[in-house]
Amino acid sequence: MALGYAEKLSFKADVGKLGMPELFDPAQDVDRKIAQLAQLIQESKHLVAFTGAGISTSCGIPDFRGPKGIWTLQHEGKPLPKADVQFHQARPGTTHMALVELVCAGILKFIISQNIDGLHLRSGIPRDKLSELHGNSFMETCPSCGREYLRDFEMETIGIKRTGRRCSVPGCVGRLVDTIVDWEGALPPKELRAAEKHCKEADLIVCLGTSLQITPACNLPLKTVRAGGKLVIVNLQATPKDKKATLVIHARVDQVILGVMRLLNRNIPPFIRLDHLLVCCSYSWLNNCVKWTLRIESPHGNKAPLQFIKHVEVEFPDRPDFKPALLKERPYVVRRKAVELKALDVLLKLHMSDGCMCEEVEILHPLSFEGEAEKQKQLPQGPVDLSALQREKVQCGRVVLLDVRKSSEYGTAVEYALVTCVTGGVEQQGKAEPGFLEEEVTRPPCSNGKQEITCTTSLEASGEEAASLLDREMTRPPPQNQDKKHHNRIEELTETKPRIRKRARLRS
């Protein structure tokens, strides 16, 4: 958990300003600033997002410097806040998934994150579109060949220390290390170079949920300003960079991003969590009997945890002579004997842990001792197309066969992916109402060549809500020396308003 990360860090007396009061702009100002931000994004040619702990608080992960932040309470000698979820069970929130959509659409070119929670990668952001300046609690890397390993469990160490595992690349036996940067540690050169490059190229950088106090990361957005670009800050507290910003919004990040995505007429895809496991089988002859073993393991290694499984029931539907088994703890192993090598089906009932949205997942695993590769071809094989799952409105409990490995430490292994969580998603209905932006937003879908992500959950503002937004915009005080422009704006909105009212009555 982030709490554990804070406790593992080496001591540092000065961690910046703590416990600053949260600031909330008036509702009218927030609406106006959201429209202004949407306009800036629409006009941008190279948009970069710079994210901090504030985008993950809605996911149940405490921040560090807020009034109830981890470091704030530590320095006040108060008990640390309780996390709403365990770190490995945290789910990407609205902002994370909105950024996925913007990246897929080619609008957002790059994300620079100071967070170590791994939620950006878990949400579906491509690795080459992300720079994690302070590391990732779920990633370890090989210093010898550079291979990265994204795990489903948290690293035991921080400070680029050895984790006790070795690289699995053929010919490389490098010792893996964590990627978390300690206080006095240098930022990883590869991540820093990519971040600096995109900051210099950006014409707009949007800082989301960060107090911009940790150096050198906090100075990266200024490279955009020096290069002639614009800086936008969305945060509940004042930051040292506010004076350099074109726009500062004091509001919750999710609220702002929801408004921006609505004005841009962009869907927010749902988060789909996939957990992986291996089903391994080996057999041998003993006194004219075949002795076989079935084992459930993690694809990350036999000592890696399977935190999404509570216990496993094993049944043999077509072999009543085989006794069922209840496996309450690791290792999940079943051993049986038979007088002949005869194919059979094994029903695995996986009872899921509390962090999953389904209580039980069933896998009917075909077990064939001879010609196993032919038997496995009967199963639908991966890799998993996440966008296809989103289009299908996939439900929890879906099982996908990923890979059949010819050999493993425990014999032939089959890797499965399980859909254990589906949350969120906002689908915009129709085009943005006229008057929200000066010109209609038109973006080619997925200009980076990737499939567009489609959402499953519908959330549409009613006509009355749209009219209410227009009411607030019409009563907004005009900027100085722009009375005529504001008057024309009100006339435009007045012509739009009756049509929205009429639509609201029809819907009701």
Side-chain angles (χ1 to χ4, degrees):
M1 179 58 232
L3 306 177
Y5 160 70
E7 293 172 349
K8 292 175 186 175
L9 286 170
S10 58
F11 176 76
K12 185 177 176 67
D14 182 14
V15 294
K17 293 183 179 180
L18 302 173
M20 292 191 298
E22 293 183 338
L23 307 174
F24 292 89
D25 290 338
Q28 278 188 335
D29 289 349
V30 172
D31 292 338
R32 173 176 56 82
K33 290 179 178 181
I34 287 175
Q36 187 177 349
L37 175 55
Q39 186 71 45
L40 290 172
I41 292 175
Q42 179 191 3
E43 296 170 351
S44 173
K45 302 299 182 183
H46 196 105
L47 171 65
V48 172
F50 188 90
T51 65
I55 73 167
S56 297
T57 53
S58 63
C59 307
I61 300 176
D63 63 14
F64 294 96
R65 293 185 178 80
K68 296 183 180 180
I70 296 171
W71 292 336
T72 301
L73 297 179
Q74 276 184 337
H75 279 249
E76 293 176 354
K78 296 180 180 179
L80 295 182
K82 292 184 178 180
D84 295 336
V85 295
Q86 296 186 48
F87 209 15
H88 69 275
Q89 294 176 344
R91 305 164 185 165
T94 298
T95 298
H96 295 94
M97 299 313 299
L99 296 181
V100 171
E101 167 67 11
L102 294 178
V103 168
C104 177
I107 298 172
L108 179 60
K109 306 303 182 184
F110 200 72
I111 298 174
I112 303 168
S113 181
Q114 303 169 97
N115 297 342
I116 51 89
D117 53 33
L119 292 182
H120 280 306
L121 284 179
R122 198 176 295 174
S123 69
I125 295 294
R127 184 67 181 95
D128 62 351
K129 298 290 185 181
L130 174 67
S131 177
E132 294 180 308
L133 295 177
H134 297 155
N136 186 325
S137 287
F138 298 89
M139 182 178 287
E140 52 190 334
T141 185
C142 176
S144 299
C145 68
R147 171 75 179 272
E148 293 180 332
Y149 296 85
L150 185 62
R151 308 299 194 186
D152 55 10
F153 55 91
E154 188 178 357
M155 295 298 104
E156 304 86 350
T157 61
I158 70 167
I160 322 298
K161 296 184 178 67
R162 290 179 178 177
T163 62
R165 288 171 287 274
R166 288 186 179 272
C167 183
S168 61
V169 173
C172 180
V173 292
R175 296 178 180 272
L176 302 184
V177 298
D178 69 78
T179 61
I180 304 297
V181 179
D182 205 347
W183 275 117
E184 303 303 327
L187 298 186
K190 181 181 176 181
E191 308 294 315
L192 184 58
R193 283 195 300 269
E196 289 178 335
K197 172 182 178 294
H198 283 277
C199 283
K200 291 176 182 178
E201 295 177 355
D203 56 8
L204 175 63
I205 186 166
V206 181
C207 298
L208 302 170
T210 171
S211 60
L212 294 170
Q213 293 192 53
I214 293 294
T215 57
C218 68
N219 293 321
L220 287 172
L222 298 184
K223 294 183 181 293
T224 299
V225 177
R226 296 190 191 102
K230 296 178 180 178
L231 168 63
V232 174
I233 299 174
V234 182
N235 197 51
L236 284 179
Q237 296 170 308
T239 81
K241 315 300 182 191
D242 285 358
K243 293 181 180 179
K244 301 286 186 180
T246 301
L247 178 65
V248 177
I249 307 177
H250 294 302
R252 300 193 187 281
V253 178
D254 283 356
Q255 174 192 357
V256 173
I257 293 299
L258 272 171
V260 167
M261 295 298 283
R262 181 185 172 203
L263 295 182
L264 295 178
N265 194 31
R266 283 288 167 186
N267 297 333
I268 300 178
F271 166 61
I272 298 177
R273 180 180 178 112
L274 296 173
D275 284 300
H276 297 234
L277 59 80
L278 293 179
V279 179
C280 311
C281 180
S282 61
Y283 67 95
S284 61
W285 285 96
L286 180 64
N287 298 329
N288 296 324
C289 291
V290 59
K291 181 179 179 181
W292 57 267
T293 302
L294 184 138
R295 181 186 297 261
I296 299 174
E297 289 291 348
S298 167
H300 302 291
N302 61 344
K303 294 183 179 180
L306 286 168
Q307 300 175 111
F308 58 94
I309 296 179
K310 189 180 298 183
H311 60 270
V312 181
E313 291 183 62
V314 184
E315 298 178 0
F316 308 93
D318 52 356
R319 292 296 298 270
D321 53 318
F322 283 171
K323 184 180 179 181
L326 176 61
L327 310 177
K328 294 185 177 181
E329 57 185 19
R330 297 281 296 276
Y332 300 126
V333 180
V334 175
R335 295 181 175 90
R336 294 290 185 271
K337 291 182 182 180
V339 295
E340 59 181 344
L341 285 175
K342 185 178 179 181
L344 70 151
D345 289 333
V346 181
L347 179 61
L348 304 174
K349 294 183 178 180
L350 309 176
H351 294 263
M352 314 306 286
S353 64
D354 295 337
C356 301
M357 295 182 65
C358 47
E359 295 182 357
E360 182 180 298
V361 174
E362 293 187 355
I363 300 177
L364 189 62
H365 179 75
L367 199 59
S368 178
F369 303 103
E370 294 180 338
E372 183 162 7
E374 293 300 319
K375 181 75 172 179
Q376 299 294 354
K377 286 181 181 178
Q378 300 176 16
L379 295 174
Q381 299 197 26
V384 176
D385 184 347
L386 192 58
S387 61
L389 293 179
Q390 288 163 331
R391 287 195 300 272
E392 293 175 16
K393 301 183 180 181
V394 66
Q395 301 295 319
C396 284
R398 170 78 173 271
V399 179
V400 181
L401 175 69
L402 287 184
D403 187 25
V404 178
R405 306 179 183 182
K406 296 301 181 183
S407 61
S408 71
E409 183 179 357
Y410 300 108
T412 302
V414 179
E415 182 174 356
Y416 292 96
L418 316 178
V419 177
T420 57
C421 177
V422 181
T423 59
V426 177
E427 184 175 350
Q428 311 298 344
Q429 300 293 325
K431 297 181 179 180
E433 294 289 356
F436 286 130
L437 294 174
E438 291 297 329
E439 54 184 291
E440 185 179 335
V441 178
T442 55
R443 289 279 187 180
C446 294
S447 58
N448 60 358
K450 296 189 177 182
Q451 289 185 333
E452 184 167 8
I453 295 176
T454 307
C455 306
T456 61
T457 305
S458 175
L459 177 64
E460 177 187 5
S462 67
E464 291 291 347
E465 292 170 332
S468 177
L469 285 173
L470 293 177
D471 285 338
R472 290 200 293 270
E473 183 155 351
M474 289 171 61
T475 57
R476 184 187 309 149
Q480 294 182 356
N481 303 323
Q482 294 188 16
D483 292 357
K484 183 176 180 180
K485 181 179 179 181
H486 185 71
H487 177 73
N488 294 337
R489 179 76 167 146
I490 291 180
E491 288 183 344
E492 176 189 347
L493 294 175
T494 304
E495 293 175 357
T496 305
K497 187 176 176 182
R499 181 172 60 82
I500 295 178
R501 295 287 189 196
K502 182 178 180 181
R503 188 194 306 183
R505 287 195 295 271
L506 291 175
R507 286 178 181 167
S508 60

